[in-house]
Amino acid sequence: MLMGDTCTRGCRFCSVKTSRAPPPLDPHEPEHTAEALSRWGLGYVVLTSVDRDDLADGGAAHFAETVRKIKHKAPGMLVEALTGDYAGDEAMVAMVARSGLDVYAHNVETVEALTPMVRDRRAGFGQSLRVLRWAKESREGVITKTSVMLGLGETEEQLWETLRGESLSSPLPFSSRNYLLTYRPQPSAPPTSTS
Ligand code: SF4
């Protein structure tokens, strides 16, 4: 996970530390990350990060630089970037999408109706869909990917609406993960459902 261990947001399902003013970025992180990954000889790597609303670019330049350095040191390594929404800034999304990555991932996390109860108030279902669309439009051939958690109380109809990508011009590839298995809910976490 890039850009530290402290996020400026506070999604209710997430146990990452949160602060309005996390420590500054480590300027050497892109180089050190690329160097370590190239030594490990991996074929596919997933990079993710905390959200950094305290930074003017949300950390987009730092993320993009990390991808570029990985591709420079290990051109054969496939890179998936699981990013934040960059506060809905299209230019920042494009910067990351054009960094040389292979897969641009950004999670909607849940169905639209449950979004306000599950995610930080600065996130939004529509905003996340725009992020994915901008990423797709920014570079020909880039693969976009998103995920939803199951068991938060979503109905089957809401889930199918989401999976069909009815808010988009075309469906997106989705994966699903089970909320109860993936996360240890915090005391403030939203209620779960097993139905
Ligand atoms: S933006 Fe990501 S890292 Fe930050 S609180 Fe939400 S899920 Fe956790």
Side-chain angles (χ1 to χ4, degrees):
M1 186 158 77
L2 302 171
M3 301 198 284
D5 63 357
T6 307
C7 185
T8 48
R9 298 198 181 178
C11 301
R12 292 184 66 192
F13 61 88
C14 181
S15 58
V16 169
K17 284 190 288 184
T18 185
S19 166
R20 284 186 189 163
L25 297 181
D26 172 5
H28 302 296
E29 186 176 48
E31 175 70 24
H32 290 166
T33 301
E35 181 61 29
L37 291 176
S38 66
R39 286 190 193 173
W40 293 346
L42 303 173
Y44 192 108
V45 65
V46 180
L47 304 173
T48 190
S49 73
V50 291
D51 274 21
R52 293 295 303 254
D53 298 289
D54 58 313
L55 303 174
D57 71 348
H62 188 90
F63 208 130
E65 180 66 7
T66 305
V67 176
R68 276 193 294 274
K69 286 193 178 296
I70 292 170
K71 286 292 186 176
H72 178 71
K73 289 180 183 288
M77 189 182 295
L78 297 173
V79 178
E80 174 178 330
L82 173 58
T83 74
D85 60 16
Y86 299 110
D89 188 329
E90 184 174 0
M92 298 306 110
V93 173
M95 181 192 298
V96 175
R98 292 174 184 147
S99 63
L101 56 76
D102 300 282
V103 178
Y104 193 115
H106 172 67
N107 291 343
V108 295
E109 309 290 8
T110 186
V111 299
E112 183 169 16
L114 296 183
T115 296
M117 281 77 79
V118 171
R119 300 175 71 190
D120 185 275
R121 61 180 172 74
R122 287 161 285 186
F125 190 84
Q127 178 160 277
S128 288
L129 295 183
R130 285 192 292 279
V131 165
L132 290 161
R133 191 173 65 242
W134 291 333
K136 193 111 191 140
E137 292 169 356
S138 296
R139 215 192 81 215
E140 197 177 337
V142 71
I143 296 169
T144 51
K145 176 181 170 187
T146 194
S147 296
V148 291
M149 294 174 279
L150 303 181
L152 295 176
E154 69 284 341
T155 65
E156 189 172 337
E157 185 183 352
Q158 289 169 332
L159 186 59
W160 279 113
E161 278 174 14
T162 305
L163 293 173
R164 284 193 295 261
E166 290 185 351
S167 304
L168 299 168
S169 54
S170 62
L172 286 165
F174 280 84
S175 62
S176 64
R177 59 191 192 223
N178 187 297
Y179 176 66
L180 291 172
L181 293 178
T182 306
Y183 294 102
R184 288 186 200 136
Q186 300 301 295
S188 61
T192 58
S193 166
T194 54
S195 60

